Amino acid sequence: MPILKLTDICKDYQQGKEPVRVLKNINLTVERGEYLAIMGPSGSGKTTLMNIIGCLDVPTSGTYELDGKDLHNLSDNDLAEIRNKHIGFVFQGFHLMPKMDALENVALPLLYAGVSVKDRRERAAEALRSVGLEDRIHFMPNQLSGGQCQRVAIARAMVGKPDLLLADEPTGALDTKSGLQIMEIFRRLSEEGMTILMITHAPEIAANAKKTYHILDGELRTGEGDSHEEAEQ
């Protein structure tokens, strides 16, 4: 069973009196353990698509199934629970809590999930070790480099053992060396079986994924030479 399946997903936004279609009949199937990249320029619809996949927004029409469950007509609370239990997020801007140290930032999703203090501290420390930050667990975000902040963000995304990792321009705010370190972590996570869907505008970043899709004017297509038919328009 696919971990994620989008069928004829459309998204409209109201602009004045007329609706504007931002996503146009998106079809995408992602198998468990795949590592995908979706490329597109600014305004192509890639962030809107990411928000729908991440249950931060809902489609105007079409069907979204996550691990076989149809997410149509779920309440905001239900969608929040799915985000917390099943989806990990890595954003370009890190989104760390400035008054929490690295350990507390990573443990935050486990707090929302009701995990005990002892367990969430142990799991957060292990997640930080897995991204090479065992010597920075009590550093505040303003004491860390950009690359280290992004590694904290990855540890936070992974600490709840989600079914799906969504990464939106994960190297966009980093220098080349730090970006390569982040891509190396993603490669290792992929080899360990994590399902990763990455949004980027950079071909050299997309090249790290096993499969690439392109989105333009709200339409999704496979990368050149890719035979994955579900994304054909």
Side-chain angles (χ1 to χ4, degrees), residues 193-229:
M194 172 56 57
T195 307
I196 302 172
L197 199 160
M198 178 171 61
I199 297 286
T200 182
H201 70 278
E204 66 274 16
I205 297 302
N208 289 275
K210 301 295 177 61
K211 188 178 294 182
T212 301
Y213 298 83
H214 295 271
I215 187 167
L216 185 64
D217 297 329
E219 296 183 357
L220 188 68
R221 294 184 173 87
T222 55
E224 185 176 346
D226 194 319
S227 61
H228 195 64
E229 295 178 355

Side-chain angles (χ1 to χ4, degrees), residues 47-211:
T47 298
T48 300
L49 179 58
M50 172 71 84
N51 288 342
I52 288 174
I53 293 173
C55 297
L56 296 168
D57 199 356
V58 294
T60 302
S61 62
T63 303
Y64 176 16
E65 296 174 59
L66 183 64
D67 201 17
K69 181 178 182 179
D70 189 342
L71 304 189
H72 184 62
N73 283 339
L74 293 185
S75 69
D76 289 345
N77 286 340
D78 288 337
L79 292 173
E81 185 175 359
I82 286 171
R83 289 195 300 270
N84 185 259
K85 291 185 176 180
H86 300 285
I87 304 173
F89 295 90
V90 178
F91 297 103
Q92 177 177 335
F94 318 139
H95 296 312
L96 301 181
M97 303 299 288
K99 295 184 179 181
M100 292 183 174
D101 66 20
L103 187 73
E104 292 168 323
N105 265 287
V106 174
L108 199 55
L110 301 178
L111 170 64
Y112 297 144
V115 177
S116 70
V117 173
K118 179 176 181 294
D119 285 350
R120 66 178 182 253
R121 289 180 68 87
E122 288 178 354
R123 288 170 61 178
E126 175 56 33
L128 285 166
R129 280 193 292 272
S130 75
V131 296
L133 290 178
E134 59 272 16
D135 59 343
R136 296 289 191 273
I137 62 174
H138 295 304
F139 280 50
M140 306 299 284
N142 64 3
Q143 297 174 306
L144 299 171
S145 68
Q148 289 170 337
C149 283
Q150 192 62 297
R151 281 191 274 165
V152 173
I154 292 171
R156 179 183 59 191
M158 300 307 304
V159 72
K161 299 181 179 178
D163 297 308
L164 176 65
L165 177 65
L166 298 181
D168 190 0
E169 300 284 5
T171 64
L174 305 179
D175 58 54
T176 300
K177 180 180 178 181
S178 297
L180 290 173
Q181 291 173 339
I182 297 305
M183 287 298 96
E184 176 59 25
I185 292 173
F186 279 18
R187 183 196 62 77
R188 177 170 53 80
L189 291 173
S190 174
E191 291 178 350
E192 293 171 355
M194 172 56 57
T195 307
I196 302 172
L197 199 160
M198 178 171 61
I199 297 286
T200 182
H201 70 278
E204 66 274 16
I205 297 302
N208 289 275
K210 301 295 177 61
K211 188 178 294 182

